[in-house]
Short mmCIF file of all heavy atoms in Angstrom, two decimals:
data_model
loop_
_atom_site.label_atom_id
_atom_site.label_comp_id
_atom_site.label_asym_id
_atom_site.label_seq_id
_atom_site.Cartn_x
_atom_site.Cartn_y
_atom_site.Cartn_z
N ASP A 280 167.69 114.01 25.23
CA ASP A 280 167.60 112.94 26.24
C ASP A 280 167.87 111.57 25.64
O ASP A 280 167.20 110.58 25.94
CB ASP A 280 166.23 112.96 26.93
CG ASP A 280 166.24 112.20 28.26
OD1 ASP A 280 167.31 112.09 28.88
OD2 ASP A 280 165.16 111.70 28.66
N VAL A 281 168.86 111.52 24.74
CA VAL A 281 169.29 110.27 24.11
C VAL A 281 170.65 109.88 24.68
O VAL A 281 171.57 110.70 24.71
CB VAL A 281 169.40 110.44 22.58
CG1 VAL A 281 170.05 109.23 21.94
CG2 VAL A 281 168.02 110.69 21.98
N LYS A 282 170.78 108.65 25.14
CA LYS A 282 172.05 108.18 25.67
C LYS A 282 172.95 107.71 24.52
O LYS A 282 172.49 107.08 23.58
CB LYS A 282 171.83 107.03 26.64
CG LYS A 282 171.17 107.43 27.95
CD LYS A 282 171.03 106.23 28.86
CE LYS A 282 170.37 106.62 30.19
NZ LYS A 282 170.20 105.45 31.10
N ILE A 283 174.24 108.03 24.64
CA ILE A 283 175.25 107.45 23.76
C ILE A 283 176.05 106.45 24.59
O ILE A 283 176.58 106.80 25.64
CB ILE A 283 176.18 108.52 23.17
CG1 ILE A 283 175.37 109.58 22.41
CG2 ILE A 283 177.20 107.86 22.24
CD1 ILE A 283 176.21 110.70 21.83
N TRP A 284 176.12 105.25 24.09
CA TRP A 284 176.74 104.17 24.86
C TRP A 284 178.18 103.94 24.40
O TRP A 284 178.44 103.74 23.22
CB TRP A 284 175.93 102.89 24.71
CG TRP A 284 174.60 102.98 25.40
CD1 TRP A 284 173.47 103.61 24.94
CD2 TRP A 284 174.27 102.46 26.68
NE1 TRP A 284 172.47 103.51 25.87
CE2 TRP A 284 172.92 102.80 26.95
CE3 TRP A 284 174.97 101.73 27.64
CZ2 TRP A 284 172.27 102.44 28.12
CZ3 TRP A 284 174.33 101.37 28.81
CH2 TRP A 284 173.00 101.72 29.04
N GLY A 285 179.10 103.96 25.36
CA GLY A 285 180.48 103.59 25.09
C GLY A 285 180.61 102.08 25.19
O GLY A 285 180.25 101.49 26.20
N LEU A 286 181.13 101.46 24.15
CA LEU A 286 181.14 100.01 24.05
C LEU A 286 182.45 99.40 24.55
O LEU A 286 183.53 99.93 24.29
CB LEU A 286 180.93 99.58 22.60
CG LEU A 286 179.61 100.00 21.94
CD1 LEU A 286 179.58 99.52 20.50
CD2 LEU A 286 178.41 99.46 22.71
N LYS A 287 182.32 98.29 25.24
CA LYS A 287 183.52 97.56 25.65
C LYS A 287 184.21 96.98 24.41
O LYS A 287 183.57 96.65 23.40
CB LYS A 287 183.17 96.45 26.63
CG LYS A 287 182.29 95.35 26.09
CD LYS A 287 181.99 94.31 27.16
CE LYS A 287 181.10 93.19 26.64
NZ LYS A 287 180.80 92.18 27.69
N HIS A 288 185.54 96.87 24.50
CA HIS A 288 186.31 96.37 23.37
C HIS A 288 187.71 96.02 23.83
O HIS A 288 188.16 96.43 24.91
CB HIS A 288 186.37 97.41 22.25
CG HIS A 288 186.94 98.72 22.68
ND1 HIS A 288 186.19 99.70 23.30
CD2 HIS A 288 188.20 99.22 22.60
CE1 HIS A 288 186.94 100.74 23.57
NE2 HIS A 288 188.17 100.47 23.16
N SER A 289 188.42 95.26 23.02
CA SER A 289 189.78 94.86 23.34
C SER A 289 190.78 95.93 22.95
O SER A 289 190.48 96.83 22.16
CB SER A 289 190.13 93.55 22.63
OG SER A 289 190.07 93.74 21.22
N GLU A 290 191.98 95.83 23.48
CA GLU A 290 193.00 96.85 23.27
C GLU A 290 193.42 96.96 21.81
O GLU A 290 193.70 98.05 21.31
CB GLU A 290 194.23 96.56 24.13
CG GLU A 290 195.33 97.60 24.02
CD GLU A 290 196.47 97.35 24.98
OE1 GLU A 290 196.40 96.38 25.75
OE2 GLU A 290 197.43 98.14 24.95
N ASN A 291 193.45 95.86 21.10
CA ASN A 291 193.96 95.86 19.73
C ASN A 291 192.85 95.80 18.68
O ASN A 291 193.08 95.43 17.54
CB ASN A 291 194.90 94.66 19.54
CG ASN A 291 196.11 94.73 20.46
OD1 ASN A 291 196.74 95.77 20.56
ND2 ASN A 291 196.42 93.63 21.12
N TYR A 292 191.64 96.20 19.06
CA TYR A 292 190.51 96.13 18.14
C TYR A 292 190.71 97.09 16.95
O TYR A 292 190.43 96.76 15.82
CB TYR A 292 189.24 96.47 18.90
CG TYR A 292 187.96 96.21 18.14
CD1 TYR A 292 187.62 94.94 17.71
CD2 TYR A 292 187.08 97.26 17.86
CE1 TYR A 292 186.45 94.71 17.01
CE2 TYR A 292 185.90 97.03 17.17
CZ TYR A 292 185.59 95.75 16.75
OH TYR A 292 184.43 95.53 16.06
N PHE A 293 191.22 98.30 17.23
CA PHE A 293 191.50 99.28 16.19
C PHE A 293 193.00 99.44 16.01
O PHE A 293 193.77 99.27 16.95
CB PHE A 293 190.91 100.65 16.55
CG PHE A 293 189.42 100.65 16.74
CD1 PHE A 293 188.87 100.57 18.01
CD2 PHE A 293 188.57 100.74 15.66
CE1 PHE A 293 187.50 100.58 18.19
CE2 PHE A 293 187.19 100.74 15.82
CZ PHE A 293 186.66 100.66 17.10
N LYS A 294 193.40 99.82 14.80
CA LYS A 294 194.80 100.12 14.53
C LYS A 294 194.93 101.59 14.19
O LYS A 294 194.24 102.09 13.28
CB LYS A 294 195.32 99.27 13.37
CG LYS A 294 196.79 99.51 13.04
CD LYS A 294 197.25 98.63 11.88
CE LYS A 294 198.71 98.90 11.53
NZ LYS A 294 199.16 98.06 10.38
N TYR A 295 195.81 102.29 14.89
CA TYR A 295 195.99 103.73 14.68
C TYR A 295 197.07 104.00 13.63
O TYR A 295 198.11 103.31 13.59
CB TYR A 295 196.38 104.40 15.99
CG TYR A 295 196.63 105.89 15.87
CD1 TYR A 295 195.58 106.76 15.61
CD2 TYR A 295 197.91 106.42 16.00
CE1 TYR A 295 195.79 108.13 15.49
CE2 TYR A 295 198.13 107.78 15.89
CZ TYR A 295 197.07 108.62 15.63
OH TYR A 295 197.28 109.97 15.50
N GLN A 296 196.83 105.00 12.79
CA GLN A 296 197.81 105.46 11.82
C GLN A 296 198.31 106.85 12.24
O GLN A 296 197.51 107.74 12.49
CB GLN A 296 197.19 105.57 10.43
CG GLN A 296 196.54 104.28 9.94
CD GLN A 296 195.97 104.47 8.55
OE1 GLN A 296 196.67 104.30 7.55
NE2 GLN A 296 194.69 104.80 8.46
N GLU A 297 199.59 107.02 12.29
CA GLU A 297 200.16 108.31 12.65
C GLU A 297 199.80 109.36 11.59
O GLU A 297 199.95 109.11 10.39
CB GLU A 297 201.68 108.23 12.79
CG GLU A 297 202.15 107.38 13.96
CD GLU A 297 201.84 108.02 15.31
OE1 GLU A 297 201.66 109.26 15.36
OE2 GLU A 297 201.77 107.28 16.31
N VAL A 298 199.33 110.52 12.05
CA VAL A 298 198.94 111.59 11.13
C VAL A 298 199.39 112.93 11.69
O VAL A 298 199.56 113.09 12.90
CB VAL A 298 197.40 111.62 10.92
CG1 VAL A 298 196.93 110.37 10.20
CG2 VAL A 298 196.67 111.80 12.25
N PRO A 299 199.56 113.93 10.83
CA PRO A 299 199.86 115.29 11.30
C PRO A 299 198.58 116.04 11.63
O PRO A 299 197.48 115.67 11.22
CB PRO A 299 200.56 115.91 10.09
CG PRO A 299 199.91 115.24 8.91
CD PRO A 299 199.61 113.82 9.36
N ASN A 300 198.72 117.11 12.38
CA ASN A 300 197.64 118.09 12.56
C ASN A 300 196.37 117.49 13.17
O ASN A 300 195.29 117.53 12.57
CB ASN A 300 197.29 118.75 11.22
CG ASN A 300 198.47 119.41 10.56
OD1 ASN A 300 199.35 119.94 11.23
ND2 ASN A 300 198.51 119.34 9.23
N THR A 301 196.49 116.96 14.37
CA THR A 301 195.29 116.44 15.03
C THR A 301 194.55 117.57 15.74
O THR A 301 195.15 118.58 16.15
CB THR A 301 195.63 115.35 16.05
OG1 THR A 301 196.36 115.93 17.14
CG2 THR A 301 196.46 114.24 15.42
N ILE A 302 193.24 117.40 15.89
CA ILE A 302 192.44 118.40 16.60
C ILE A 302 192.91 118.53 18.04
O ILE A 302 192.99 119.64 18.59
CB ILE A 302 190.95 118.01 16.54
CG1 ILE A 302 190.45 118.11 15.10
CG2 ILE A 302 190.12 118.92 17.45
CD1 ILE A 302 189.03 117.59 14.92
N TYR A 303 193.24 117.41 18.66
CA TYR A 303 193.72 117.45 20.05
C TYR A 303 194.97 118.33 20.16
O TYR A 303 195.05 119.18 21.06
CB TYR A 303 194.01 116.04 20.53
CG TYR A 303 194.66 115.99 21.90
CD1 TYR A 303 193.89 116.08 23.05
CD2 TYR A 303 196.05 115.87 22.03
CE1 TYR A 303 194.48 116.06 24.31
CE2 TYR A 303 196.64 115.84 23.27
CZ TYR A 303 195.86 115.93 24.42
OH TYR A 303 196.45 115.91 25.65
N GLU A 304 195.92 118.13 19.29
CA GLU A 304 197.16 118.91 19.35
C GLU A 304 196.89 120.40 19.15
O GLU A 304 197.52 121.24 19.79
CB GLU A 304 198.15 118.40 18.29
CG GLU A 304 198.70 117.02 18.60
CD GLU A 304 199.47 116.43 17.44
OE1 GLU A 304 199.33 116.94 16.29
OE2 GLU A 304 200.21 115.46 17.65
N ASP A 305 195.95 120.71 18.29
CA ASP A 305 195.63 122.11 18.01
C ASP A 305 194.91 122.80 19.16
O ASP A 305 195.06 124.01 19.36
CB ASP A 305 194.77 122.22 16.75
CG ASP A 305 195.55 121.89 15.49
OD1 ASP A 305 196.80 121.92 15.54
OD2 ASP A 305 194.91 121.61 14.46
N LYS A 306 194.13 122.03 19.92
CA LYS A 306 193.20 122.65 20.86
C LYS A 306 193.44 122.34 22.34
O LYS A 306 192.78 122.94 23.19
CB LYS A 306 191.77 122.25 20.51
CG LYS A 306 191.29 122.79 19.17
CD LYS A 306 189.80 122.59 19.01
CE LYS A 306 189.27 123.24 17.76
NZ LYS A 306 187.79 123.19 17.69
N VAL A 307 194.34 121.43 22.65
CA VAL A 307 194.46 120.98 24.04
C VAL A 307 194.72 122.13 25.01
O VAL A 307 194.24 122.12 26.15
CB VAL A 307 195.55 119.90 24.16
CG1 VAL A 307 196.93 120.44 23.77
CG2 VAL A 307 195.57 119.30 25.57
#
């Protein structure tokens, strides 16, 4: 019964690096 809070943020707050073999690609 613990809430996890999704935080507001700007579009460019994080920078993504292209990588191979993502979990999403393997499991979608």
